Amino acid sequence: MQFKSWGEPVYRIAQLLDWLYARRAATWDAMTNLPKQLREKLRENFSLQTLELVRKQGSQDTTQKFLWKLADHSLIESVLIPANPALYGEASDRHTLCISTQVGCAYGCKFCASGLEGWKRNLTPNEIVEQILSVERWHVAQPKEKSLEAAENRVVNNIVVMGMGEPLANYDNLLKALKILNAPWGGGIGARKITISTSGLAPQIRKLAQEPMQFRLAISLHGATDETRNKIMPVNRKYSLRELMDACRALPIPRRKRVTFEYVLLRGVNDSVEDARQLCQLLQGIRCKVNLIPFNPHPGSRFQRPTDLEVERFQQVLHQQNIQTNIRRPRGDDIQAACGQLQGEEFRNPQVQSLFTAEAR
Ligand code: SAH
Ligand code: SF4
């Protein structure tokens, strides 16, 4: 920070952090306990808002999807989801924000829209943190009946790293961002309220296990054999199921906690009773829970969602083996905001594209 070279006293840093993170200030002018001259200097040297909101869509189930434009004109999405305590959070949770970590994704899972156009780049720590702050600034700007106290500016109290990209392929930037979001002087969001989802990067899972902060981990399994996984997740050819499960077994799972496995149900691919039995075998002896995600269709996908009956039949097999299992009903699928539907699709929309080219001129 340049405060020292600007001759500012050290306590100004605490004041600035308080405005940035605790109060989620939307403008430099709002930082009223900083001298006007300093605010001017900050304005000249730094940008407070690095993500530009291109479009916000609201779903009927009150899920909100935010499309952000980055400085290099790349597009990413974040999704604000009303509380569903059974899945990741605690009973008191108000909102979960699903954040992106990369522009596109290199892992190319066959059923996922995010990987359709490949990988463009990693997000910086700032771009990851800003998704939370920008959503909260948006929230503060919404008309309210009475002005809000600082604490009420926080709408996000649970984070799932399940947007666009493979978070563990952007390990260092992700960890830097999560440390800021977790810090008492920063986002103040507890590590156990942050869930990282990975398609199965075994070495990075082991590395994460060594971190002092124990974030929650969700493993995208989607198949109980190498044969099934190879068909739908190219990452399995790099890190086999054996390697992945060994890394999972080595996780330090706190008492009374469980590791989460995600399992997208694709009709006729991985949803039979036999698949469910194999899954039970695979998970034997691991303190875990399974989230079943009926496939969310998106334009260009060739897979189908199983019927509710087929999903329940699959769940039943797991229940019989005492494996805790939730069915993740799609949230926001009417606005293409559900799992695996994020792809910056608007960028392909000619209207939005012309907006960008008009601006570049
Ligand atoms: N790259 C990470 C996190 C982002 S995807 C990962 O793969 O885990 C978040 C979750 O959505 C993953 O479990 C992913 O497999 C799942 N998903 C992807 N496409 C989906 C789709 N079309 N329908 C349902 N779930 C999907
Ligand atoms: Fe990437 Fe995850 Fe989508 Fe696979 S499921 S393509 S790893 S974002």
Side-chain angles (χ1 to χ4, degrees), residues 105 107-109 111-112 114-115 163-166 199:
C105 183
Y107 286 81
C109 303
F111 46 82
C112 175
S114 296
M164 212 190 261
E166 166 50 55
S199 59

Side-chain angles (χ1 to χ4, degrees), residues 105 109 111-114 161-167 197-200 218-222 233 262-266 293-298 328 338-341:
C105 183
C109 303
F111 46 82
C112 175
S114 296
V161 190
M162 295 191 182
M164 212 190 261
E166 166 50 55
S197 177
T198 176
S199 59
I219 314 286
S220 297
L221 205 50
H222 313 331
M233 302 179 76
E262 310 275 342
Y263 195 100
V264 174
L265 286 165
L266 305 163
I293 320 174
F295 171 64
N296 294 312
H298 52 85
R328 241 171 84 176
C339 284
Q341 293 181 320

